[in-house]
Amino acid sequence: MSIESRCPVPLLKHETIQMAHGAGGRLSRELTRKVFLPHLGNRCLEALDDQAKFFLEAGMVAFTTDTFVVSPLFFPGGNIGDLAVNGTVNDLAVGGAIPRYLSAGFVLEEGFSLAELERVVKSIANAARIAGVQVVTGDTKVVQKGQCDGMFINTSGIGVVKKGINVSCSNLKPGDRIVVSGTLADHGMAIMTAREGLSFQSGIMSDTASLNGMISKILDEVPEVHAMRDPTRGGLAATLNELAGASRTGIVLDEAALPVRPDVQGACELLGIDPLNVANEGKVVIAAPAENAEAVLRVMREEPGVSGKDAAIVGEVVDDHPGMVIIRTVLGSRRILEMPLGEQLPRIC
Amino acid sequence: MSIESRCPVPLLKHETIQMAHGAGGRLSRELTRKVFLPHLGNRCLEALDDQAKFFLEAGMVAFTTDTFVVSPLFFPGGNIGDLAVNGTVNDLAVGGAIPRYLSAGFVLEEGFSLAELERVVKSIANAARIAGVQVVTGDTKVVQKGQCDGMFINTSGIGVVKKGINVSCSNLKPGDRIVVSGTLADHGMAIMTAREGLSFQSGIMSDTASLNGMISKILDEVPEVHAMRDPTRGGLAATLNELAGASRTGIVLDEAALPVRPDVQGACELLGIDPLNVANEGKVVIAAPAENAEAVLRVMREEPGVSGKDAAIVGEVVDDHPGMVIIRTVLGSRRILEMPLGEQLPRIC
């Protein structure tokens, strides 16, 4: 008599998450078998051990973690599932690594819809397939109703650093050009307009996407790249301030060159938000020697679809004012682009 | 003029977590610099890149993730910080791996005490030092008051599998002996008595501890070990049912041999809970060939302190009733030890 034959009643008769789904017993196991494995299944995950095991060749390994608490969970252009996969894939890729393996840790609120959970898991599976990574280990916890907001997801990731590549946020050199791979602020404004009930009118979509394909091509053609970052929380302003601070260099940005979609610009003005403080989730900022900047731009623009078509060289690294980002406005004046405090845009990822 | 000189006011004048601490701007950076780096600092973390990078020799790598939502955050014998480190270290160790690198992802509730956060971070640092691992990458998110319960922590971990070791929960062989490294149910009952306000009377302490030292010695002396698991959520009952199910073998347990502290047994009776369904966080269950079981037991008992002194051989693996765990009671009768449903013990880790 097997365990299954003693439990003839399907345990997922529930339509919502129960406390016992997170308690490590029969319901936990059923959730894994009925919701997670069918979409994410692979040799490692199916072993149902407490850890995934895989062979890695000798070399530099990249390791990153991110917890996603975005609200709302579903937004124009994506949901918390593909956002989590793409975010972690991109954090590996901007380190010069080829992303390989992800973990997924869920915190679910009691009463959360199983159908919505399955939608998110499908998005995770789809985003992982596009990025060429596997979700090899996972964990699910459940908290009482009112003790988390629907669902939080942690994705951690492992990648293998490409040989001969040494990028770091402290690697900026005076003379480097700053290249962005497309329009700024799309993700954050998709979330903000969804929250304000403006998403139907605005049509602004999140740019959530995995960048490892594009970045790998760039590094193959231009291994001289000095630094890469994806401008997520805090937007381009936070990213450039971090790069300038870590590298003890200045940065001068050319406002006229910054690509922002007109609808995103309009929504920013409506809500009183500077687009340079707003997150992307599918763009990369690259610092490369001046003589290589056009080559970086060309690879970005050759990307299929729309992802790289608005790529632009937007500024340069200077000896002056180390740690500070200066913006040359369209009117010809200069102002400091501050590190944002960040309180305007909570829970965008 | 550096950024610091333009921000003369200390940003951590706040005594509690603000939304902007999680928004990727100045307050996020200050939280990292003032709370996380002083305790956890190492070369990788201090680089403040979006990913840690380190060299790994060629070989099998173990990767695991766990989110901790324990309530209360502070309990007799530990807190969510050391619990998170030890839990992830142990999930690597029971896979036969030497734990090396951890990530830490925090979800904090707006208004959470910065002093309590720092206590937790100190515990993380201390537990990591004892286990010989480094926290090399991290992430902090903040959600509005009421949208999470104080603090959740995800720890993911990377370890290097010891050469010549092949343990898996599907490796049980008939004839194997089941060895536990000490008293059962300590952690879960420490949490339950803390919640019920009984902890002062009971004196029950969590057994949270890293097991990688003990497990490494066991594998050095007895590389023939077939399977290892730490009996956390769902307790010994869940662990043995999983091992039996994955290995398609039966297990017979000897009730008289099961080590349970009298105070834990008493608290279980008071609260109507079977100690076999209750989590440990510092014990390991090992299945080893009969001829090696005494050697496993000896290494456990040689552990310094009290961790291994109550280790015991508690059962054996059989050909009969595959997937099922049978318990031989002290009265000589036999009953099925079911996989617990788990709803009795929410949020113990």
Side-chain angles (χ1 to χ4, degrees):
Chain A
M1 187 168 65
S2 75
I3 287 182
E4 270 64 28
S5 69
R6 284 180 291 134
C7 307
V9 184
L11 289 162
L12 284 184
K13 59 188 178 212
H14 305 288
E15 290 177 0
T16 59
I17 290 292
Q18 312 293 308
M19 288 306 295
H21 279 124
R26 269 161 54 198
L27 276 186
S28 295
R29 200 170 56 173
E30 285 297 305
L31 189 68
T32 302
R33 294 211 171 143
K34 300 270 173 74
V35 177
F36 294 118
L37 289 186
H39 300 295
L40 301 174
N42 52 62
R43 185 189 54 80
C44 281
L45 204 62
E46 282 154 13
L48 293 178
D49 270 319
D50 280 343
Q51 71 300 118
K53 290 181 207 161
F54 41 80
F55 181 83
L56 281 188
E57 59 271 37
M60 290 299 285
V61 168
F63 180 33
T64 191
T65 193
D66 237 325
T67 309
F68 292 82
V69 299
V70 65
S71 170
L73 295 173
F74 299 87
F75 47 80
N79 65 53
I80 190 172
D82 43 23
L83 187 70
V85 170
N86 294 336
T88 293
V89 162
N90 293 346
D91 277 349
L92 293 171
V94 297
I98 299 164
R100 290 267 187 90
Y101 300 104
L102 298 194
S103 65
F106 295 82
V107 179
L108 303 173
E109 184 181 10
E110 182 187 16
F112 189 79
S113 152
L114 270 169
E116 289 203 354
L117 174 61
E118 192 158 16
R119 270 180 72 195
V120 170
V121 173
K122 278 184 190 170
S123 292
I124 290 175
N126 194 43
R129 192 163 42 243
I130 291 170
V133 297
Q134 288 188 319
V135 177
V136 291
T137 188
D139 176 56
T140 305
K141 294 285 156 53
V142 179
V143 297
Q144 292 92 340
K145 202 161 181 62
Q147 307 210 323
C148 92
D149 187 20
M151 167 193 285
F152 303 148
I153 302 178
N154 177 283
T155 39
S156 300
I158 295 177
V160 176
V161 180
K162 284 167 84 89
K163 299 229 185 297
I165 298 301
N166 180 23
V167 293
S168 164
C169 65
S170 56
N171 265 0
L172 260 58
K173 303 280 182 289
D176 282 358
R177 295 296 186 270
I178 304 291
V179 193
V180 299
S181 68
T183 53
L184 302 170
D186 305 62
H187 173 73
M189 291 320 293
I191 299 290
M192 293 305 284
T193 52
R195 272 189 217 152
E196 304 286 333
L198 303 171
S199 52
F200 179 70
Q201 295 152 260
S202 78
I204 298 171
M205 308 267 280
S206 167
D207 58 345
T208 179
S210 52
L211 295 163
N212 53 326
M214 177 199 273
I215 288 173
S216 185
K217 282 182 215 157
I218 291 170
L219 292 177
D220 287 345
E221 289 219 16
V222 193
E224 299 85 357
V225 160
H226 284 155
M228 300 192 281
R229 267 274 166 116
D230 51 335
T232 57
R233 285 184 290 179
L236 188 66
T239 300
L240 293 183
N241 271 287
E242 281 177 9
L243 292 173
S247 304
R248 297 167 198 282
T249 59
I251 294 177
V252 177
L253 269 191
D254 180 5
E255 188 176 33
L258 293 167
V260 181
R261 284 166 51 114
D263 52 359
V264 170
Q265 182 74 49
C268 282
E269 283 166 17
L270 194 67
L271 298 171
I273 297 171
D274 182 344
L276 297 183
N277 293 348
V278 182
N280 286 101
E281 289 287 348
K283 300 289 158 45
V284 60
V285 179
I286 289 185
E291 61 271 26
N292 304 113
E294 288 291 339
V296 170
L297 196 64
R298 196 180 57 245
V299 181
M300 288 175 175
R301 290 189 171 160
E302 281 166 1
E303 268 298 283
V306 298
S307 23
K309 85 174 174 47
D310 297 306
I313 298 172
V314 298
E316 69 182 293
V317 180
V318 296
D319 260 331
D320 282 351
H321 50 79
M324 200 183 301
V325 183
I326 298 285
I327 186 161
R328 222 166 22 219
T329 70
V330 286
L331 302 173
S333 64
R334 293 160 71 93
R335 66 175 173 91
I336 296 173
L337 183 66
E338 297 269 11
M339 184 71 156
L341 261 175
E343 77 296 348
Q344 277 186 312
L345 294 153
R347 296 185 61 187
I348 55 89
C349 64
Chain B
M1 187 166 66
S2 75
I3 286 184
E4 270 63 28
S5 69
R6 282 181 290 132
C7 305
V9 184
L11 287 162
L12 283 184
K13 60 188 178 210
H14 305 289
E15 290 177 358
T16 58
I17 289 292
Q18 312 293 308
M19 287 306 295
H21 279 124
R26 270 162 54 199
L27 277 185
S28 296
R29 200 171 57 172
E30 284 298 305
L31 190 67
T32 302
R33 294 212 171 143
K34 299 271 173 72
V35 179
F36 295 118
L37 290 186
H39 300 294
L40 301 174
N42 52 62
R43 187 190 53 81
C44 280
L45 203 61
E46 281 154 14
L48 293 179
D49 269 320
D50 280 343
Q51 70 301 117
K53 290 181 207 163
F54 41 79
F55 181 83
L56 281 187
E57 59 270 38
M60 290 299 286
V61 168
F63 180 34
T64 191
T65 192
D66 237 325
T67 308
F68 292 82
V69 298
V70 64
S71 170
L73 295 173
F74 298 87
F75 47 81
N79 65 52
I80 188 172
D82 43 22
L83 186 70
V85 170
N86 294 336
T88 293
V89 163
N90 293 346
D91 277 350
L92 293 171
V94 298
I98 300 165
R100 290 266 189 91
Y101 300 105
L102 299 193
S103 65
F106 295 82
V107 179
L108 303 173
E109 184 181 11
E110 181 187 17
F112 189 79
S113 152
L114 269 170
E116 289 203 353
L117 173 61
E118 191 157 16
R119 270 180 73 194
V120 170
V121 173
K122 278 185 191 171
S123 292
I124 289 175
N126 194 43
R129 193 164 41 243
I130 292 170
V133 297
Q134 288 188 318
V135 178
V136 290
T137 187
D139 176 57
T140 306
K141 294 286 157 54
V142 179
V143 297
Q144 291 91 341
K145 203 161 179 61
Q147 307 213 319
C148 92
D149 187 19
M151 168 193 284
F152 303 148
I153 302 178
N154 177 282
T155 39
S156 300
I158 295 178
V160 176
V161 180
K162 284 168 83 91
K163 299 227 185 298
I165 299 300
N166 181 22
V167 293
S168 163
C169 65
S170 56
N171 266 1
L172 261 57
K173 303 281 182 291
D176 282 357
R177 295 296 187 271
I178 304 291
V179 193
V180 300
S181 68
T183 52
L184 302 171
D186 304 61
H187 173 73
M189 290 320 292
I191 299 291
M192 292 305 285
T193 53
R195 274 191 216 149
E196 304 286 333
L198 303 170
S199 52
F200 179 70
Q201 296 153 260
S202 77
I204 298 171
M205 308 267 279
S206 168
D207 57 345
T208 179
S210 52
L211 296 163
N212 51 326
M214 176 198 274
I215 288 173
S216 185
K217 283 182 214 156
I218 291 170
L219 291 177
D220 287 345
E221 288 220 16
V222 194
E224 299 86 356
V225 160
H226 285 154
M228 299 192 282
R229 268 275 166 115
D230 51 335
T232 56
R233 284 185 291 179
L236 188 67
T239 299
L240 293 183
N241 271 287
E242 280 177 11
L243 292 174
S247 303
R248 297 168 198 281
T249 59
I251 293 177
V252 177
L253 268 191
D254 180 6
E255 188 175 31
L258 293 167
V260 181
R261 284 166 52 112
D263 52 0
V264 170
Q265 182 73 49
C268 282
E269 282 166 16
L270 193 67
L271 299 171
I273 296 172
D274 183 344
L276 297 183
N277 293 349
V278 182
N280 287 100
E281 290 287 348
K283 300 287 158 47
V284 59
V285 179
I286 289 185
E291 61 272 27
N292 305 112
E294 287 292 339
V296 170
L297 196 63
R298 195 181 58 245
V299 181
M300 287 175 175
R301 289 189 172 160
E302 282 166 1
E303 269 297 285
V306 298
S307 24
K309 85 172 174 49
D310 297 306
I313 297 172
V314 299
E316 68 182 293
V317 180
V318 296
D319 259 332
D320 282 351
H321 51 79
M324 200 184 300
V325 182
I326 298 286
I327 187 161
R328 222 165 26 218
T329 71
V330 285
L331 303 173
S333 65
R334 293 160 71 93
R335 67 176 172 89
I336 296 172
L337 182 65
E338 296 271 9
M339 183 73 156
L341 261 175
E343 77 296 349
Q344 276 185 312
L345 295 154
R347 298 185 57 188
I348 53 90
C349 64

